[in-house]
Amino acid sequence: MERSLLQRDMIAQPELWSLGLLTGIPGRLDAMLYPPVATEEPIYASLSLDPGAPSPLRALENALYDQPLLLCDFRRVTVVDSASRALLVPPQLALPKWRPELIAALEQTGGFEEPHIDPSMVTVMELTATNAMMAMALEPEPAHFLKRTYYNATFLHSLVPTIDVVAATTQRRTLYAAFSASDVMVIAVDGAKLLLANIFHATTTSDTAYYIMAARAKLGFSPEEPLLLWGHEERREECERLLKPLISAISLWQLPPLPYLTSRQLHNIPIDLIMLPLCV
């Protein structure tokens, strides 16, 4: 584990800064601190979670407690979670009368040891996309710990920041793909209408290309409709080389203006955290 990677004296006035935490990625916790003015750079760290900890909760606790800077009071704290049960639903399903059906649908999402959901852990997030909302059921133990640690913590699913930005800034049918070392986030919009959003676990170029091409085929995208790529440089460039003969309108995703200074290292930061200040 990293020890004291983020020291308290790295920021003079943490109460003016905002904190984003990305949880749910196996074996790590990502943190990004956003400055109060656009002339400063953010601070980003990817923290290893101790595989020998008695439980995943204890590993998360230790990772935070080992970083003095992360224990400060911040202007805003947003937890971006990629592991909780989540569904994109039509806006009308978010009405109170449909809540039992919404909870039942969330309970049908696979991969969780506990099949039943605590209704108090269910939250519904509005999106800038006009045709969808995000329903999410938080895992109780880590959510309660983070709420105790940060009195002002709010929670988002990891797809939400990027959906919000592309739905607000895209004028035509476009498919976006953002790469990390172990997965690819694929989002397709038609202006402000969300067509598809998912995160696929893919560590090889062929698997990544398959998920992108399958999404385009499902939505009826032609080779002339844009595919915009962002993220992990090596994986992105390999995938671009493989897909270029099939898609003529493939290019680097030019991000919208961000409220902080950026550098080439931005490609190595999860896009969920990059986009976060634009949607909160």
Side-chain angles (χ1 to χ4, degrees):
M1 294 177 63
E2 292 87 346
R3 293 290 177 184
S4 299
L5 180 66
L6 298 172
Q7 295 289 357
R8 171 64 182 81
D9 59 5
M10 294 174 71
I11 295 177
Q13 294 179 288
E15 67 275 10
L16 300 180
W17 288 58
S18 297
L19 170 65
L21 294 174
L22 177 59
T23 62
I25 299 176
R28 70 180 227 233
L29 169 70
D30 287 20
M32 192 157 176
L33 296 104
Y34 306 95
V37 293
T39 54
E40 293 187 63
E41 287 192 32
I43 297 171
Y44 168 72
S46 184
L47 310 172
S48 298
L49 299 180
D50 183 4
S55 67
L57 176 61
R58 181 60 62 85
L60 175 62
E61 293 173 345
N62 291 343
L64 282 179
Y65 293 152
D66 281 346
Q67 308 301 324
L69 183 56
L70 296 185
L71 300 179
C72 294
D73 289 332
F74 296 98
R75 182 174 67 89
R76 178 186 292 122
V77 176
T78 308
V79 180
V80 182
D81 188 82
S82 63
S84 293
R85 306 169 195 248
L87 288 173
L88 287 163
V89 298
Q92 58 269 26
L93 195 58
L95 295 173
K97 69 176 182 178
W98 294 111
R99 192 168 180 84
E101 287 78 7
L102 181 61
I103 293 173
L106 285 166
E107 288 180 337
Q108 295 304 309
T109 56
F112 294 89
E113 294 182 6
E114 173 53 56
H116 300 297
I117 289 175
D118 179 350
S120 69
M121 292 288 101
V122 175
T123 182
V124 179
M125 290 150 271
E126 293 186 1
L127 303 172
T128 56
T130 57
N131 62 324
M133 300 180 79
M134 177 70 77
M136 179 172 73
L138 298 170
E139 292 299 302
E141 285 192 344
H144 288 318
F145 163 67
L146 290 168
K147 287 179 180 179
R148 291 193 305 269
T149 305
Y150 303 106
Y151 74 94
N152 55 345
T154 59
F155 293 79
L156 295 177
H157 188 269
S158 61
L159 282 166
V160 169
T162 311
I163 291 174
D164 272 0
V165 172
V166 300
T169 58
T170 307
Q171 304 301 317
R172 57 180 294 194
R173 271 169 50 105
T174 303
L175 192 140
Y176 298 84
F179 299 82
S180 73
S182 59
D183 57 41
V184 58
M185 178 186 293
V186 178
I187 296 176
V189 295
D190 185 356
K193 182 181 179 182
L194 181 65
L195 304 177
L196 178 148
N198 210 339
I199 300 172
F200 300 101
H201 180 71
T203 56
T204 67
T205 302
S206 57
D207 283 349
T208 304
Y210 168 80
Y211 286 125
I212 292 171
M213 290 303 296
R216 289 178 69 88
K218 179 179 180 179
L219 297 171
F221 271 65
S222 72
E224 293 75 32
E225 290 180 295
L227 169 61
L228 303 183
L229 307 180
W230 176 263
H232 192 286
E233 290 191 76
E234 182 180 349
R235 299 196 63 218
R236 187 191 76 239
E237 291 170 358
E238 289 176 354
C239 195
E240 183 176 6
R241 283 194 293 269
L242 189 61
L243 293 177
K244 257 190 172 177
L246 306 173
I247 302 171
S248 57
I250 184 171
S251 62
L252 181 66
W253 181 357
Q254 300 297 323
L255 300 186
L258 296 166
Y260 49 80
L261 284 181
T262 61
S263 67
R264 281 188 56 83
Q265 296 303 313
L266 199 67
H267 286 276
N268 298 319
I269 298 174
I271 196 165
D272 337 49
L273 294 178
I274 293 172
M275 298 295 201
L276 183 59
L278 298 178
C279 81
V280 296

